[in-house]
C-alpha cells in the first residue's frame, strides 16, 4: 500500500494511491489517505489537490480479504472508521479536491469521488456500489451527489454500474477524456483553481460546504450503522465469505 504526495510549483498537490492489485484499501490505507488529504489542505503552498490512482482502477473499496482473515470485529470496525475518515478528509480538505477517476470506482471509491469538489474521468471509468452483494451498506450518501435520487436507489438495490459518460450527462463529471489524457486534464482543472487567490479559494470551499443540504458525515454514519446490524445477524459474513471464496478482488 502506498499513498504519495507531490506538491508542484503550480500549487497543486498530487496525491496518488497505489495499492495493487485493485486499490482495495486496508484499514491502515484508508487512514493514510485521510492524513495525506488533510496535510495537503493545511499546506499554505497548496491551492488545489488532484486525487488519482495507479493501476487498473481508481478504487475498489475496502480490502474484504483483510476483514475476513481478522478474528472478531476489529477489521470491520476499522474499515468503517477508516472509510469515514478518508471520505471526510476529501470533504474537509481546506482546498478543492479534483478526483481523477479511471477504470472502476466502486464502494469506497464512490465515497471519495462523491465528496470531491470536481470529478474528471477517463472514457473507461465506471461507478457503482456493490455493497448489497457484499452484505454491507454505505456511501449512498456520496452516490446521491453523483446521480439523481431514483437512479441512486436503483444502483443500490441492483448493484448496477454507470459509466463516466452517463455521469457527464448528469453534470457530476466535468470532463471525460481518453485514459492517457486523464492526469493532464485533472491537473489543468486543479491548476486553474490553484491560480486563484489562496485565501479566497479556501473560503469558497468552506462556504460551499456550509450550504450543503445534507450533512455528509452524519448521513454516512447513519448508513454505517446498518452494516453493523447486517454483520450481527450474520448476513455480512455470509456475503463476504462468498466473495472471498469466488476469488474476486
Amino acid at each position: 500500500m502506498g499513498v504519495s504526495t507531490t506538491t508542484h510549483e503550480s500549487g497543486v498537490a498530487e496525491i496518488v494511491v497505489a495499492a495493487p492489485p485493485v486499490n482495495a484499501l486496508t484499514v491502515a490505507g484508508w487512514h493514510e489517505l485521510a492524513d495525506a488529504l488533510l496535510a495537503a489542505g493545511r499546506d499554505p503552498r497548496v491551492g488545489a489537490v488532484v486525487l488519482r490512482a495507479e493501476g487498473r482502477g481508481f478504487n475498489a473499496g475496502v480490502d474484504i480479504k483483510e476483514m475476513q482473515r481478522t478474528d472478531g470485529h476489529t477489521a470491520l470496525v476499522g474499515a468503517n472508521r477508516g472509510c469515514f475518515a478518508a471520505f471526510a478528509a476529501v470533504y474537509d480538505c481546506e482546498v478543492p479536491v479534483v478526483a481523477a477517476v479511471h477504470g472502476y470506482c466502486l464502494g469506497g471509491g464512490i465515497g471519495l469521488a462523491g465528496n470531491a469538489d470536481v470529478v474528471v474521468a477517463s472514457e473507461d471509468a465506471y461507478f457503482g456500489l456493490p455493497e448489497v452483494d457484499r452484505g454491507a451498506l454505505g456511501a449512498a450518501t456520496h452516490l446521491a451527489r453523483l446521480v439523481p435520487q431514483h437512479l441512486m436507489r436503483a444502483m443500490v438495490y441492483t448493484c448496477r454500474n454507470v459509466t463516466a459518460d452517463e455521469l457527464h450527462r448528469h453534470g457530476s463529471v466535468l470532463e471525460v477524456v481518453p485514459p492517457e489524457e486523464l492526469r493532464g486534464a485533472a491537473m489543468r482543472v486543479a491548476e486553474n483553481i490553484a491560480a486563484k487567490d489562496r485565501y479566497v479559494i479556501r473560503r469558497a470551499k468552506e462556504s460551499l460546504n456550509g450550504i450543503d443540504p445534507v450533512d455528509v458525515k452524519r448521513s454516512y454514519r447513519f448508513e454505517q450503522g446498518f452494516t453493523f446490524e447486517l454483520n450481527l445477524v450474520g448476513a455480512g459474513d455470509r456475503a463476504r465469505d462468498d466473495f472471498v471464496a469466488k476469488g474476486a478482488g
Side-chain angles (χ1 to χ4, degrees):
M1 166 65 198
V3 176
S4 63
T5 302
T6 303
T7 302
H8 300 279
E9 290 185 3
S10 62
V12 174
E14 184 179 11
I15 298 177
V16 182
V17 177
V22 296
N23 287 330
L25 301 186
T26 62
V27 172
W30 286 111
H31 286 288
E32 184 180 358
L33 178 56
D35 291 345
L37 286 158
L38 294 176
R42 288 192 297 264
D43 188 336
R45 300 172 297 166
V46 173
V49 168
V50 166
L51 174 61
R52 66 180 187 87
E54 297 287 354
R56 293 153 48 188
F58 177 70
N59 187 277
V62 303
D63 186 341
I64 291 178
K65 293 179 181 178
E66 177 190 43
M67 198 175 297
Q68 293 310 90
R69 66 174 175 259
T70 304
D71 292 334
H73 297 147
T74 303
L76 176 66
V77 173
N80 274 262
R81 288 191 173 276
C83 285
F84 183 90
F87 302 168
V90 175
Y91 194 78
D92 290 337
C93 181
E94 295 178 30
V95 299
V97 176
V98 178
V101 178
H102 75 287
Y104 43 77
C105 179
L106 302 172
I110 294 293
L112 299 173
N115 266 2
D117 297 275
V118 179
V119 181
V120 178
S122 63
E123 293 168 340
D124 66 346
Y126 60 94
F127 302 72
L129 271 187
E131 310 320 81
V132 165
D133 284 344
R134 305 289 183 262
L137 292 168
T141 293
H142 313 92
L143 183 59
R145 296 164 69 83
L146 296 170
V147 301
Q149 181 71 205
H150 283 83
L151 178 55
M152 178 273 287
R153 286 173 177 258
M155 289 177 68
V156 169
Y157 299 150
T158 67
C159 300
R160 64 161 285 186
N161 300 322
V162 296
T163 66
D165 186 60
E166 287 177 87
L167 292 192
H168 181 60
R169 293 200 298 270
H170 289 304
S172 49
V173 165
L174 181 66
E175 296 179 40
V176 180
V177 299
E180 65 274 13
E181 298 177 15
L182 177 61
R183 178 181 178 272
M187 289 295 290
R188 283 193 297 274
V189 173
E191 286 165 358
N192 187 317
I193 296 169
K196 311 296 183 185
D197 182 282
R198 297 289 164 77
Y199 186 85
V200 174
I201 208 67
R202 287 166 182 266
R203 298 294 74 76
K205 169 87 182 244
E206 185 178 4
S207 69
L208 293 177
N209 282 5
I211 64 171
D212 258 337
V214 175
D215 182 333
V216 294
K217 297 177 193 174
R218 181 180 298 175
S219 178
Y220 177 52
R221 198 61 175 155
F222 177 81
E223 289 187 81
Q224 284 186 317
F226 290 95
T227 293
F228 292 120
E229 178 180 333
L230 291 173
N231 197 71
L232 285 172
V233 301
D237 268 322
R238 288 195 301 272
R240 291 192 300 269
D241 283 341
D242 183 59
F243 177 78
V244 173
K246 289 178 179 176

